[in-house]
Amino acid sequence: MGAQSMTYPSIDWLAITPLIILLGGMMINLVLASLTRAWPRAWYAIGTVELAVASVVVEMFLWHDINENGARVIINNAISIDHFTMFCWIGIAGALALVSLSTAEYLRRESLEGPEVYALYICAALGAMIMTASNDMIVLFLGLETLSIALYVLAASHRRRSESQESGLKYFILGGFASAFFLYGIALIYGSTGTTNISGIGNVLSTEVFVNGDDAMLLAGIALLIVGLAFKVAVVPFHFWTPDVYQGAPTPVTSFMASVGKFAAFAALLRVVATALPSRAEDWRPVIWVLAILSVVVGSVLAVVQTDVKRMLAYSSISHAGFILVGLEAASHVSKADSSLGVSSAMAYLFVYGVLVVGTLAVVSLIAGKGDNATTLGAF
């Protein structure tokens, strides 16, 4: 049998240049670290910041290109290049730079090596950027797992602290369950619509009518999808991992999870419900409303009674997640043309929160001292 030619999707290399910059920088970082003598720990931070800045420069150019030529989907409709994606990429790169700067002092104080930590930061940022740009559920899941696996290792990266090992193990076990829910939700939605493309799902659901209970599979898929993403954004009642993981993980890693991790998960949730499920808003809106109310109330009340600053900030992040969900719930009440206002408001809130939480936890890290031993309110 003769050889058959294979067709490959065309690749817009300029559009994925920010990803290539971070990926290439991460590989160079690890290769140089393995082949040369130990560098000053601050050099790794400076190199990571330079990669983040270079990525932002390209993203600003892409923003201008979108203004001129409009948004587009690339690589066989798997990646969406639009203003939403660029805003998320800029926010992720900015958080990566800020966390890297605060990590240098922490690693010096704890006598830890730097290359692996910064490489994991970059790897997690890559997964987050893929999540925020995904126009396909499978690509979204791959980005989610890339982000999650890097965060599991980062949470347990302080090998001399048992609390760090415990937080990494808890995060890994509960994160595995959440990923299973998410993947099963994708399977059910694919069974109902015949596609995993996010835009394609939206088109199918806006044109097909389900009668006589034929949408039970679809509703189950939407429910499981929301459960998987709700775990990642840490909203009540899927928040139980957050206080323990935030407290046990190294403080710079906590700030990375609270900024980049939450940014990516919320961006994925907003893209899925706003692009794939707007025609089924009547089904998921009550769930989002309940999650928002529970998160604001439970997060605020439990934050007040905490005696550890990192646990208090963990419950504060749960409360903030509820406020962000309010923007999503509000966007579902207006027309599709106006819904972008609610999504934009939620992302702007998340951007500001990410910057503030990185700064707050940087101060906590400086005051806590070696081993993160002084994180109680009395130490402040």
Side-chain angles (χ1 to χ4, degrees):
M1 190 169 74
Q4 296 180 350
S5 61
M6 297 182 64
T7 58
Y8 301 93
S10 60
I11 299 178
D12 187 342
W13 293 104
L14 176 61
I16 62 173
T17 297
L19 301 175
I20 296 174
I21 290 173
L22 293 182
L23 179 61
M26 178 183 68
M27 296 174 65
I28 292 172
N29 178 6
L30 291 176
V31 170
L32 291 180
S34 64
L35 296 179
T36 61
R37 292 185 177 182
W39 296 359
R41 293 176 180 84
W43 287 22
Y44 298 116
I46 294 172
T48 305
V49 171
E50 290 175 346
L51 290 174
V53 171
S55 177
V56 169
V57 170
V58 178
E59 288 153 10
M60 295 301 294
F61 179 83
L62 289 172
W63 187 292
H64 176 73
D65 181 68
I66 294 170
N67 287 335
E68 295 291 329
N69 303 314
R72 59 191 182 275
V73 288
I74 62 173
I75 312 180
N76 201 23
N77 296 326
I79 300 294
S80 179
I81 303 298
D82 51 23
H83 284 137
F84 181 84
T85 298
M86 290 303 110
F87 180 83
C88 294
W89 284 7
I90 291 171
I92 291 168
L96 172 64
L98 293 175
V99 173
S100 297
L101 291 174
S102 66
T103 301
E105 171 61 23
Y106 182 88
L107 294 178
R108 183 197 63 78
R109 187 176 69 234
E110 300 293 324
S111 300
L112 298 173
E113 295 300 324
E116 299 84 0
V117 173
Y118 292 105
L120 288 168
Y121 280 162
I122 298 172
C123 181
L126 282 169
M129 292 170 72
I130 292 172
M131 283 181 65
T132 58
S134 297
N135 192 47
D136 191 280
M137 289 292 191
I138 302 302
V139 177
L140 174 57
F141 178 74
L142 293 176
L144 174 64
E145 288 304 289
T146 302
L147 170 66
S148 298
I149 292 173
L151 289 181
Y152 301 153
V153 180
L154 282 169
S157 61
H158 200 313
R159 295 182 295 275
R160 293 191 293 272
R161 290 182 64 238
S162 60
E163 296 87 349
S164 177
Q165 311 299 308
E166 180 184 350
S167 70
L169 184 61
K170 287 180 178 179
Y171 195 19
F172 170 70
I173 293 174
L174 295 177
F177 279 108
S179 297
F181 279 115
F182 183 77
L183 190 59
Y184 194 20
I186 293 175
L188 292 179
I189 291 178
Y190 173 75
S192 300
T193 62
T195 180
T196 59
N197 186 270
I198 293 177
S199 300
I201 292 171
N203 294 331
V204 170
L205 295 181
S206 63
T207 56
E208 290 191 0
V209 177
F210 294 85
V211 295
N212 298 326
D214 290 341
D215 60 347
M217 184 189 300
L218 174 65
L219 293 177
I222 294 174
L224 291 174
L225 207 66
I226 292 177
V227 167
L229 290 175
F231 173 89
K232 296 301 179 182
V233 300
V235 295
V236 177
F238 310 104
H239 68 289
F240 293 105
W241 62 274
T242 312
D244 290 341
V245 173
Y246 274 39
Q247 183 181 16
T251 303
V253 174
T254 301
S255 65
F256 190 84
M257 287 191 293
S259 55
V260 173
K262 193 174 290 289
F263 202 103
F266 260 114
L269 177 62
L270 291 169
R271 186 181 288 278
V272 167
V273 299
T275 304
L277 306 174
S279 62
R280 304 309 297 254
E282 296 296 330
D283 296 320
W284 56 259
R285 183 192 297 138
V287 177
I288 297 297
W289 185 85
V290 171
L291 293 179
I293 297 299
L294 288 176
S295 299
V296 171
V297 174
V298 174
S300 300
V301 171
L302 293 183
V304 173
V305 299
Q306 300 303 313
T307 58
D308 185 274
V309 174
K310 292 172 73 174
R311 291 184 72 88
M312 181 185 68
L313 291 174
Y315 282 108
S316 174
S317 73
I318 295 169
S319 178
H320 282 290
F323 285 114
I324 297 169
L325 286 181
V326 171
L328 174 59
E329 199 277 338
S332 66
H333 288 278
V334 297
S335 64
K336 185 176 181 180
D338 298 328
S339 63
S340 60
L341 182 60
V343 174
S344 299
S345 300
M347 294 307 297
Y349 187 107
L350 190 59
F351 184 89
V352 175
Y353 166 77
V355 174
L356 294 179
V357 76
V358 170
T360 303
L361 285 166
V363 174
V364 172
S365 178
L366 290 174
I367 296 177
K370 188 171 183 178
D372 285 333
N373 293 320
T375 60
T376 60
L377 287 176
F380 289 77

